[in-house]
Amino acid sequence: MDKNKLCATTPIEQEQIKITAPPTTAAGITAVRSSVKHALRELSIKTCSKTFFSVNQMNGFDCPGCAWPDPDEHRSGLGEYCENGAKAIAEEATSKRLTAAFFAKHSIQELSNWSDFKIGKSGRLTEPMILREGSQHYEPISWDDAFQFIATELNALASPDEAIFYTSGRTSNEAAFLYQLFVRQFGTNNLPDCSNMCHESSGVALSETVGIGKGSVKLEDFYVTDLIIVIGQNPGTNHPRMLSALQKAKQSGAKIITINPLAETGLIKFKNPQNLSGWIGSGTELTDLFLQVKINGDVALIKAIMKLLLEEEEKNPNTIFDHAFIEKHTHGFDEFITELKNADVSALAKEAGVDEKLVHQAASMIMQSDKIITCWAMGLTQHKNGVQNIKEVVNLLLLKGSIGKPGAGTCPVRGHSNVQGDRTMGIWEKPKAVFLDKLESQFQFEAPRKNGYNTIEAIQAMADKKASIFFAMGGNFLSASPDTNYTAKALQNCSLTVQVSTKLNRSHLITGKQAIILPCLGRTEKDIQQGTPQFVSVENSMGIVHSSTGQLEPASEHLLSEPAIIARLATATLKDKSSTDWMGLVKNYDLIRERIEKTIAGFDNYNERVRNDGGFYLPNCARDGQFKTMTGKANFSVNPVPKHQLKEGEYMMMTIRSHDQFNTTIYGLDDRYRGIYNGRRIILINKGDCEKIGVKTGDYVDLSCDFGGIKREAPHFMVVEYNIPSSCVATYFPEANVLVPINSYAEKSHTPASKLIIINICKHLSNKA
C-alpha cells in the first residue's frame, strides 16, 4: 500500500456554495429548528426526548461540547443546551453503526477520499479494529489481543520516551488521572494534549502574571459587572450558551465591548430560545461598541486604550487607576508606566486598524467602569505573541483593580468540556515537582522528571523518527494539528498508532505501519462496571467540578469505558512492574476519586462534594485576590507591539470555525451566521482586496504560504467578499491547516500560530467550480 496516495485532508469536491447576507440576530427559533433537524437526522424521537432532557442537568450528563458552566436556574428539567450542543449530542448518540462489514467493504484508500463531513457521519464505532501492516482494510481484533498487541509494542521500545500519549479535552477526570498515572509508570512525560494547540498561551501568561493558569471569574460575576470585553472570540458559534450570560449581564446594566476582525452575528443581537421573547421578540442588543481590529492588532489597540487612561489619570489623579490595588497587589508598575508613556495613540490606532475616535470611546467606557471582565479565546492565543496578547489584557485589568473582586477578572473561554480538568489531573508534558512527589508517595514508583513533548515537539519527534508509537485518548489529532501534510508523514513514520474513539475520523486513516482503534463509551451512555452504574466528573472553564452520568444504552455491547481501557492496557503493559491495582480501581470510580483526593490539592471530600447538586469550586488564588507568582504579586509586563510588514500580494490569514462544526467535527456544510451555505472551501476577503486581486464572490483562488524555505499550497478556495479588514483574510480549519507551518508557534507556549499565517493568493486557472 502506498500511503502517499492517502488524502491527509478533505479532498476538493464539487461544492455548490450559496452566499447570502449574514443574519443580524443569533439563536431564536432558527436555532431551535436547526437543532431539531440535526437531532432527528441521527436519533429517534424517543431517544431525542430522553437525551435532551438529561443534558447538563443535575443528575444527567455533561454536554460533550464546550466547557461553558451551567447556570443553576436552568438545571432543573429545562433544556440547558445550545444549537451546537444539540449537534454534538446527536453526533455522539446517533443510531448509525460501523461494524466489521463496513471496514471490509471500504478500504482506507477509499475512506481517505471521503470528506471529513462524510467520514464523521458514518456512525459509531462498535468493536476494536486493527489495520495490519500492508493491509488496506481494518479487521476485528478482540480486546485482549488488542491490549496485548499494544503492550508488546510499547515494551519493545528502546526507551519509554519513544512513545507519545495524546489526550483530547473530552476525557473525564477519572480517565485522565489513570491515563497520566499509567504513562508515568511506563516511564515518560510525553503527554501532549489539545490545550497545547489552543489555550496554552493563556495558561502560561496567567501563571506568570496572576499565579494560576485558569480564569478567575465565576458565572455570577457576569451579572454584577460594569463592563465585559470580548476579544478574539466568537461565542455565537463556539460557545453559544455564553450568549445567555451576556444577555443577563446586559439586562443587569453591563456594557459590552467586542474586539475582533470579523463582526460576528452572535455578538450583535441575541434571541434566547429558552424565553418566549426569544421566539417572538426582537432580541437583545449585545455589543455596545465594536472595534474591528486587524489580525493581531490587539496589543496595539489595548496599549492605545491604556495610554488614554494614563493621560486622564495624569490630568485627574486617583480617578482612573486603582492605586490602592496597584500598590498592595502588583509588581512592575513603574516599568510598565515608563514604557506606556512613550506610546503614541494615533500610531497605535493605525497599527490596530481601528478608528481613533472609537479607541477614545472604548477608553471612556473603561474609565467609567470599576468592575471589568475580559473574555478571550483563540483569536488571542494562536499567535507568535499569544502569551504577550494575554499579558496585555491582564495589564488593563490590573490598572483598574479588576481581578480578585466580584464582577471582575479574567475569562479564557475554553473549548472541550473537560480540557481544563485534564490539565488539573496531570495531563501535561511539564509536570510540577510537587505533583510528581505526590504521585510517587501514593503509588510507590519513581516518576520520570524530564519534561516530555508538547504537541509541536511530538509531531517533530515522529517526523524525525525519535518516536515510533502514537496513542491518542480521543480527538482527531491529524486534522487538529498544524501543517497537515507534515503531520501526516510524521504519523506514518510510526510503527503503531492507536486511537481511543467513539466515531471514525481522518486520524484513523492516516496511520503508522500498524493501527488499532479502541472504541469507547460516549458521554451520553451508561457506564456499568461489574453490574454497578458509574458516573464520571469534569471541570468546566470556571473551575467547577461536577458529575456526569450517561443515560443511554451503549452503542454496542463491545464498548469499554475510557477508565476500563486504560486499566486493562496498564495491566497488560506494566504487569508486575506496577503495584497499582488497576482493575480494582475501575470496579468503582469512587476508588479513583479517592486517589485523586490524596494526590491533587483542592479535592478534599471529593466523592461527597461531587455528588452535591452543581458540584464544587476548586481553589483559585487570583479569584481570592492572592497572586502566587514569583514576586508574590500580580505582575505588570511590558509587551512590544508586533509589526507585520507585508510584501506586495501578501495577506494575513486566520483560520476560523463555521457554525456547523465543533473543533474538527463537521456537523454540516452551512455557516448560517456568515451567510455561507453548502460548502467549506471558501476564503473571506475584503472588498478592496478583491479588486486588487481581480476577483469577486464566486471566483476561485489558490493559496500558498512560503515559510522557512518550504512552500505550502492549498488550491481551489471560493472567494467570498466579506466585511473583514484590509490585508486580512479568513478560511475554515481544518481545510486550511495545510498552510500553518509546524515551526510557527507562540513563544513560551508553543501554541500553533493558526490565527496569523502570511499567504499569497492567486487566481485559480479555470476559475470554475
Side-chain angles (χ1 to χ4, degrees), residues 354-370:
V354 178
D355 188 304
E356 191 173 343
K357 292 180 182 178
L358 296 179
V359 178
H360 279 264
Q361 190 175 338
S364 178
M365 293 173 68
I366 293 169
M367 290 176 196
Q368 297 169 32
S369 303
D370 292 323

mmCIF file with all atom_site columns, all heavy atoms in Angstrom, residues 354-370:
data_model
loop_
_atom_site.group_PDB
_atom_site.id
_atom_site.type_symbol
_atom_site.label_atom_id
_atom_site.label_alt_id
_atom_site.label_comp_id
_atom_site.label_asym_id
_atom_site.label_entity_id
_atom_site.label_seq_id
_atom_site.pdbx_PDB_ins_code
_atom_site.Cartn_x
_atom_site.Cartn_y
_atom_site.Cartn_z
_atom_site.occupancy
_atom_site.B_iso_or_equiv
_atom_site.pdbx_formal_charge
_atom_site.auth_seq_id
_atom_site.auth_comp_id
_atom_site.auth_asym_id
_atom_site.auth_atom_id
_atom_site.pdbx_PDB_model_num
ATOM 1   N N   . VAL A 1 354 ? -7.971  50.484 13.757 1.00 0.00 ? 354 VAL A N   1
ATOM 2   C CA  . VAL A 1 354 ? -9.215  50.945 14.371 1.00 0.00 ? 354 VAL A CA  1
ATOM 3   C C   . VAL A 1 354 ? -9.259  52.468 14.359 1.00 0.00 ? 354 VAL A C   1
ATOM 4   O O   . VAL A 1 354 ? -8.259  53.132 14.675 1.00 0.00 ? 354 VAL A O   1
ATOM 5   C CB  . VAL A 1 354 ? -9.337  50.426 15.823 1.00 0.00 ? 354 VAL A CB  1
ATOM 6   C CG1 . VAL A 1 354 ? -10.607 50.956 16.482 1.00 0.00 ? 354 VAL A CG1 1
ATOM 7   C CG2 . VAL A 1 354 ? -9.327  48.904 15.833 1.00 0.00 ? 354 VAL A CG2 1
ATOM 8   N N   . ASP A 1 355 ? -10.402 53.019 14.021 1.00 0.00 ? 355 ASP A N   1
ATOM 9   C CA  . ASP A 1 355 ? -10.598 54.467 14.018 1.00 0.00 ? 355 ASP A CA  1
ATOM 10  C C   . ASP A 1 355 ? -10.277 55.036 15.401 1.00 0.00 ? 355 ASP A C   1
ATOM 11  O O   . ASP A 1 355 ? -10.767 54.531 16.420 1.00 0.00 ? 355 ASP A O   1
ATOM 12  C CB  . ASP A 1 355 ? -12.049 54.782 13.643 1.00 0.00 ? 355 ASP A CB  1
ATOM 13  C CG  . ASP A 1 355 ? -12.290 56.266 13.426 1.00 0.00 ? 355 ASP A CG  1
ATOM 14  O OD1 . ASP A 1 355 ? -12.004 57.062 14.346 1.00 0.00 ? 355 ASP A OD1 1
ATOM 15  O OD2 . ASP A 1 355 ? -12.781 56.643 12.341 1.00 0.00 ? 355 ASP A OD2 1
ATOM 16  N N   . GLU A 1 356 ? -9.481  56.087 15.435 1.00 0.00 ? 356 GLU A N   1
ATOM 17  C CA  . GLU A 1 356 ? -9.038  56.641 16.711 1.00 0.00 ? 356 GLU A CA  1
ATOM 18  C C   . GLU A 1 356 ? -10.202 57.118 17.570 1.00 0.00 ? 356 GLU A C   1
ATOM 19  O O   . GLU A 1 356 ? -10.153 57.047 18.805 1.00 0.00 ? 356 GLU A O   1
ATOM 20  C CB  . GLU A 1 356 ? -8.046  57.782 16.474 1.00 0.00 ? 356 GLU A CB  1
ATOM 21  C CG  . GLU A 1 356 ? -7.336  58.222 17.734 1.00 0.00 ? 356 GLU A CG  1
ATOM 22  C CD  . GLU A 1 356 ? -6.223  59.231 17.465 1.00 0.00 ? 356 GLU A CD  1
ATOM 23  O OE1 . GLU A 1 356 ? -5.778  59.357 16.307 1.00 0.00 ? 356 GLU A OE1 1
ATOM 24  O OE2 . GLU A 1 356 ? -5.803  59.895 18.439 1.00 0.00 ? 356 GLU A OE2 1
ATOM 25  N N   . LYS A 1 357 ? -11.268 57.582 16.943 1.00 0.00 ? 357 LYS A N   1
ATOM 26  C CA  . LYS A 1 357 ? -12.433 58.026 17.704 1.00 0.00 ? 357 LYS A CA  1
ATOM 27  C C   . LYS A 1 357 ? -13.040 56.864 18.482 1.00 0.00 ? 357 LYS A C   1
ATOM 28  O O   . LYS A 1 357 ? -13.497 57.022 19.609 1.00 0.00 ? 357 LYS A O   1
ATOM 29  C CB  . LYS A 1 357 ? -13.479 58.630 16.764 1.00 0.00 ? 357 LYS A CB  1
ATOM 30  C CG  . LYS A 1 357 ? -13.061 59.949 16.118 1.00 0.00 ? 357 LYS A CG  1
ATOM 31  C CD  . LYS A 1 357 ? -14.151 60.466 15.198 1.00 0.00 ? 357 LYS A CD  1
ATOM 32  C CE  . LYS A 1 357 ? -13.724 61.766 14.519 1.00 0.00 ? 357 LYS A CE  1
ATOM 33  N NZ  . LYS A 1 357 ? -14.770 62.270 13.576 1.00 0.00 ? 357 LYS A NZ  1
ATOM 34  N N   . LEU A 1 358 ? -13.044 55.693 17.869 1.00 0.00 ? 358 LEU A N   1
ATOM 35  C CA  . LEU A 1 358 ? -13.576 54.516 18.552 1.00 0.00 ? 358 LEU A CA  1
ATOM 36  C C   . LEU A 1 358 ? -12.672 54.076 19.696 1.00 0.00 ? 358 LEU A C   1
ATOM 37  O O   . LEU A 1 358 ? -13.150 53.578 20.718 1.00 0.00 ? 358 LEU A O   1
ATOM 38  C CB  . LEU A 1 358 ? -13.761 53.370 17.555 1.00 0.00 ? 358 LEU A CB  1
ATOM 39  C CG  . LEU A 1 358 ? -14.782 53.604 16.437 1.00 0.00 ? 358 LEU A CG  1
ATOM 40  C CD1 . LEU A 1 358 ? -14.839 52.389 15.509 1.00 0.00 ? 358 LEU A CD1 1
ATOM 41  C CD2 . LEU A 1 358 ? -16.153 53.898 17.008 1.00 0.00 ? 358 LEU A CD2 1
ATOM 42  N N   . VAL A 1 359 ? -11.359 54.274 19.530 1.00 0.00 ? 359 VAL A N   1
ATOM 43  C CA  . VAL A 1 359 ? -10.422 53.960 20.618 1.00 0.00 ? 359 VAL A CA  1
ATOM 44  C C   . VAL A 1 359 ? -10.715 54.856 21.816 1.00 0.00 ? 359 VAL A C   1
ATOM 45  O O   . VAL A 1 359 ? -10.744 54.395 22.969 1.00 0.00 ? 359 VAL A O   1
ATOM 46  C CB  . VAL A 1 359 ? -8.967  54.127 20.146 1.00 0.00 ? 359 VAL A CB  1
ATOM 47  C CG1 . VAL A 1 359 ? -8.010  53.835 21.296 1.00 0.00 ? 359 VAL A CG1 1
ATOM 48  C CG2 . VAL A 1 359 ? -8.664  53.203 18.975 1.00 0.00 ? 359 VAL A CG2 1
ATOM 49  N N   . HIS A 1 360 ? -10.968 56.144 21.554 1.00 0.00 ? 360 HIS A N   1
ATOM 50  C CA  . HIS A 1 360 ? -11.311 57.076 22.636 1.00 0.00 ? 360 HIS A CA  1
ATOM 51  C C   . HIS A 1 360 ? -12.625 56.657 23.305 1.00 0.00 ? 360 HIS A C   1
ATOM 52  O O   . HIS A 1 360 ? -12.762 56.742 24.530 1.00 0.00 ? 360 HIS A O   1
ATOM 53  C CB  . HIS A 1 360 ? -11.434 58.500 22.094 1.00 0.00 ? 360 HIS A CB  1
ATOM 54  C CG  . HIS A 1 360 ? -10.116 59.190 21.922 1.00 0.00 ? 360 HIS A CG  1
ATOM 55  N ND1 . HIS A 1 360 ? -9.581  60.034 22.883 1.00 0.00 ? 360 HIS A ND1 1
ATOM 56  C CD2 . HIS A 1 360 ? -9.217  59.156 20.909 1.00 0.00 ? 360 HIS A CD2 1
ATOM 57  C CE1 . HIS A 1 360 ? -8.409  60.490 22.468 1.00 0.00 ? 360 HIS A CE1 1
ATOM 58  N NE2 . HIS A 1 360 ? -8.158  59.978 21.268 1.00 0.00 ? 360 HIS A NE2 1
ATOM 59  N N   . GLN A 1 361 ? -13.579 56.205 22.493 1.00 0.00 ? 361 GLN A N   1
ATOM 60  C CA  . GLN A 1 361 ? -14.859 55.773 23.048 1.00 0.00 ? 361 GLN A CA  1
ATOM 61  C C   . GLN A 1 361 ? -14.685 54.559 23.951 1.00 0.00 ? 361 GLN A C   1
ATOM 62  O O   . GLN A 1 361 ? -15.288 54.479 25.025 1.00 0.00 ? 361 GLN A O   1
ATOM 63  C CB  . GLN A 1 361 ? -15.830 55.457 21.903 1.00 0.00 ? 361 GLN A CB  1
ATOM 64  C CG  . GLN A 1 361 ? -17.269 55.236 22.347 1.00 0.00 ? 361 GLN A CG  1
ATOM 65  C CD  . GLN A 1 361 ? -18.212 55.042 21.169 1.00 0.00 ? 361 GLN A CD  1
ATOM 66  O OE1 . GLN A 1 361 ? -17.910 55.448 20.049 1.00 0.00 ? 361 GLN A OE1 1
ATOM 67  N NE2 . GLN A 1 361 ? -19.354 54.429 21.425 1.00 0.00 ? 361 GLN A NE2 1
ATOM 68  N N   . ALA A 1 362 ? -13.853 53.622 23.529 1.00 0.00 ? 362 ALA A N   1
ATOM 69  C CA  . ALA A 1 362 ? -13.584 52.444 24.348 1.00 0.00 ? 362 ALA A CA  1
ATOM 70  C C   . ALA A 1 362 ? -12.912 52.840 25.656 1.00 0.00 ? 362 ALA A C   1
ATOM 71  O O   . ALA A 1 362 ? -13.272 52.342 26.734 1.00 0.00 ? 362 ALA A O   1
ATOM 72  C CB  . ALA A 1 362 ? -12.708 51.462 23.580 1.00 0.00 ? 362 ALA A CB  1
ATOM 73  N N   . ALA A 1 363 ? -11.942 53.725 25.563 1.00 0.00 ? 363 ALA A N   1
ATOM 74  C CA  . ALA A 1 363 ? -11.242 54.181 26.765 1.00 0.00 ? 363 ALA A CA  1
ATOM 75  C C   . ALA A 1 363 ? -12.211 54.852 27.739 1.00 0.00 ? 363 ALA A C   1
ATOM 76  O O   . ALA A 1 363 ? -12.129 54.651 28.957 1.00 0.00 ? 363 ALA A O   1
ATOM 77  C CB  . ALA A 1 363 ? -10.125 55.142 26.380 1.00 0.00 ? 363 ALA A CB  1
ATOM 78  N N   . SER A 1 364 ? -13.150 55.631 27.205 1.00 0.00 ? 364 SER A N   1
ATOM 79  C CA  . SER A 1 364 ? -14.134 56.295 28.053 1.00 0.00 ? 364 SER A CA  1
ATOM 80  C C   . SER A 1 364 ? -15.005 55.285 28.785 1.00 0.00 ? 364 SER A C   1
ATOM 81  O O   . SER A 1 364 ? -15.290 55.440 29.983 1.00 0.00 ? 364 SER A O   1
ATOM 82  C CB  . SER A 1 364 ? -15.000 57.221 27.199 1.00 0.00 ? 364 SER A CB  1
ATOM 83  O OG  . SER A 1 364 ? -15.998 57.841 27.979 1.00 0.00 ? 364 SER A OG  1
ATOM 84  N N   . MET A 1 365 ? -15.422 54.226 28.094 1.00 0.00 ? 365 MET A N   1
ATOM 85  C CA  . MET A 1 365 ? -16.242 53.196 28.740 1.00 0.00 ? 365 MET A CA  1
ATOM 86  C C   . MET A 1 365 ? -15.467 52.496 29.843 1.00 0.00 ? 365 MET A C   1
ATOM 87  O O   . MET A 1 365 ? -16.019 52.172 30.906 1.00 0.00 ? 365 MET A O   1
ATOM 88  C CB  . MET A 1 365 ? -16.716 52.186 27.689 1.00 0.00 ? 365 MET A CB  1
ATOM 89  C CG  . MET A 1 365 ? -17.699 52.761 26.676 1.00 0.00 ? 365 MET A CG  1
ATOM 90  S SD  . MET A 1 365 ? -18.090 51.602 25.326 1.00 0.00 ? 365 MET A SD  1
ATOM 91  C CE  . MET A 1 365 ? -19.017 50.338 26.213 1.00 0.00 ? 365 MET A CE  1
ATOM 92  N N   . ILE A 1 366 ? -14.187 52.264 29.619 1.00 0.00 ? 366 ILE A N   1
ATOM 93  C CA  . ILE A 1 366 ? -13.358 51.601 30.629 1.00 0.00 ? 366 ILE A CA  1
ATOM 94  C C   . ILE A 1 366 ? -13.116 52.520 31.813 1.00 0.00 ? 366 ILE A C   1
ATOM 95  O O   . ILE A 1 366 ? -13.130 52.081 32.973 1.00 0.00 ? 366 ILE A O   1
ATOM 96  C CB  . ILE A 1 366 ? -12.034 51.130 29.982 1.00 0.00 ? 366 ILE A CB  1
ATOM 97  C CG1 . ILE A 1 366 ? -12.322 50.009 28.976 1.00 0.00 ? 366 ILE A CG1 1
ATOM 98  C CG2 . ILE A 1 366 ? -11.042 50.660 31.041 1.00 0.00 ? 366 ILE A CG2 1
ATOM 99  C CD1 . ILE A 1 366 ? -11.156 49.640 28.100 1.00 0.00 ? 366 ILE A CD1 1
ATOM 100 N N   . MET A 1 367 ? -12.903 53.818 31.536 1.00 0.00 ? 367 MET A N   1
ATOM 101 C CA  . MET A 1 367 ? -12.718 54.777 32.628 1.00 0.00 ? 367 MET A CA  1
ATOM 102 C C   . MET A 1 367 ? -13.914 54.788 33.575 1.00 0.00 ? 367 MET A C   1
ATOM 103 O O   . MET A 1 367 ? -13.765 54.945 34.789 1.00 0.00 ? 367 MET A O   1
ATOM 104 C CB  . MET A 1 367 ? -12.519 56.181 32.052 1.00 0.00 ? 367 MET A CB  1
ATOM 105 C CG  . MET A 1 367 ? -11.211 56.408 31.344 1.00 0.00 ? 367 MET A CG  1
ATOM 106 S SD  . MET A 1 367 ? -11.160 58.084 30.619 1.00 0.00 ? 367 MET A SD  1
ATOM 107 C CE  . MET A 1 367 ? -9.790  57.933 29.471 1.00 0.00 ? 367 MET A CE  1
ATOM 108 N N   . GLN A 1 368 ? -15.098 54.606 33.027 1.00 0.00 ? 368 GLN A N   1
ATOM 109 C CA  . GLN A 1 368 ? -16.326 54.695 33.813 1.00 0.00 ? 368 GLN A CA  1
ATOM 110 C C   . GLN A 1 368 ? -16.673 53.375 34.500 1.00 0.00 ? 368 GLN A C   1
ATOM 111 O O   . GLN A 1 368 ? -17.685 53.294 35.190 1.00 0.00 ? 368 GLN A O   1
ATOM 112 C CB  . GLN A 1 368 ? -17.480 55.117 32.904 1.00 0.00 ? 368 GLN A CB  1
ATOM 113 C CG  . GLN A 1 368 ? -17.318 56.495 32.300 1.00 0.00 ? 368 GLN A CG  1
ATOM 114 C CD  . GLN A 1 368 ? -18.330 56.775 31.199 1.00 0.00 ? 368 GLN A CD  1
ATOM 115 O OE1 . GLN A 1 368 ? -19.456 56.296 31.235 1.00 0.00 ? 368 GLN A OE1 1
ATOM 116 N NE2 . GLN A 1 368 ? -17.926 57.553 30.215 1.00 0.00 ? 368 GLN A NE2 1
ATOM 117 N N   . SER A 1 369 ? -15.832 52.381 34.352 1.00 0.00 ? 369 SER A N   1
ATOM 118 C CA  . SER A 1 369 ? -16.125 51.045 34.884 1.00 0.00 ? 369 SER A CA  1
ATOM 119 C C   . SER A 1 369 ? -15.152 50.669 35.989 1.00 0.00 ? 369 SER A C   1
ATOM 120 O O   . SER A 1 369 ? -13.935 50.778 35.820 1.00 0.00 ? 369 SER A O   1
ATOM 121 C CB  . SER A 1 369 ? -16.060 50.012 33.760 1.00 0.00 ? 369 SER A CB  1
ATOM 122 O OG  . SER A 1 369 ? -16.948 50.344 32.706 1.00 0.00 ? 369 SER A OG  1
ATOM 123 N N   . ASP A 1 370 ? -15.706 50.213 37.110 1.00 0.00 ? 370 ASP A N   1
ATOM 124 C CA  . ASP A 1 370 ? -14.871 49.725 38.208 1.00 0.00 ? 370 ASP A CA  1
ATOM 125 C C   . ASP A 1 370 ? -14.710 48.205 38.165 1.00 0.00 ? 370 ASP A C   1
ATOM 126 O O   . ASP A 1 370 ? -13.718 47.672 38.656 1.00 0.00 ? 370 ASP A O   1
ATOM 127 C CB  . ASP A 1 370 ? -15.486 50.125 39.552 1.00 0.00 ? 370 ASP A CB  1
ATOM 128 C CG  . ASP A 1 370 ? -15.434 51.627 39.786 1.00 0.00 ? 370 ASP A CG  1
ATOM 129 O OD1 . ASP A 1 370 ? -14.430 52.246 39.400 1.00 0.00 ? 370 ASP A OD1 1
ATOM 130 O OD2 . ASP A 1 370 ? -16.405 52.160 40.352 1.00 0.00 ? 370 ASP A OD2 1
#
